[in-house]
Amino acid sequence: MRRKWLTIWRVGVGLLVVELVVYGMLQVFSFGCRSLAWRQFNAGVNNEKRQVEEIPYAELINYWSEQAGISPELVAAVIYAESSFQPKAVSPAGARGLMQIMPDTWQVINKEIQACKFHHNGKCTTACYEDAGMNIHIGTVYLGRLLERYNQNAVWALAAYNAGPAAVEKYQGIPPFTETQSYVQRIILYWFDIHKADSLLYEMGMRELDSVYHYIRGMMAVTLSLVACALWRLVKEYRSWHWY
């Protein structure tokens, strides 16, 4: 029995090492794919500010994006991720409208640019938040400021748009929040789609490897359980480490 459990333990440890190596290699590959795709995304957002067509509110998106000096395709992708182009959308946290702007953020920016001054009797009401033009106006100004804050790093700006600048600066990048990571991923994939760019690298790095990760993590859990069981049996039987 001793040899049997010792063999199981050794095989289990070896298998666990192999699984860890494979998992690490996949992580490196995934990181490389993401990095290359992020560079392509940032370059496209900052250097190719194409106008959007054949989507809801295209004219408003193009106009206010140009006024803010940012990519219309990026703004369209943010609206898609935030509200699916629903002007009356309200999040559980209270964010409002097409670009899901929090009332506090709205008030700060509106105080400076006076977006509500000539609309709805000059008062910020529910009608303001649901007004497509005003919401896109406020949202593009805010997004433009985030891009300036992060030196035109669109990935960081998007993360800050979702999780707040404090979280991005704390983690020096996308915070480890599932919601924020999923949010940035959705926007980048949508941008690749409307930009007519090849998103294969990004999809491989962020989407296609998910099932592989889950499979390997499951195998590692099983292997670790087997190793622990074998070790427990060995300790129980011999209570010493003098194996012959």
Side-chain angles (χ1 to χ4, degrees), residues 4-34:
K4 172 186 173 182
W5 286 110
L6 183 58
T7 300
I8 292 174
W9 181 80
R10 286 173 173 169
V11 170
V13 169
L15 184 58
L16 188 60
V17 169
V18 171
E19 290 167 350
L20 286 169
V21 170
V22 172
Y23 187 79
M25 291 174 65
L26 285 174
Q27 288 279 23
V28 171
F29 176 73
S30 176
F31 178 78
C33 289
R34 289 199 306 270

Side-chain angles (χ1 to χ4, degrees), residues 132-147:
M134 293 178 64
N135 197 282
I136 294 172
H137 185 188
I138 296 284
T140 52
V141 170
Y142 181 51
L143 184 56
R145 291 181 180 180
L146 290 174
L147 285 164

Side-chain angles (χ1 to χ4, degrees), residues 37 123 144 154 195 206 228:
K123 298 179 181 179
H195 193 72
M206 292 296 290

Side-chain angles (χ1 to χ4, degrees), residues 120 125-132 134:
H120 311 294
T125 63
T126 299
C128 291
Y129 300 129
E130 295 177 356
D131 185 299
M134 293 178 64

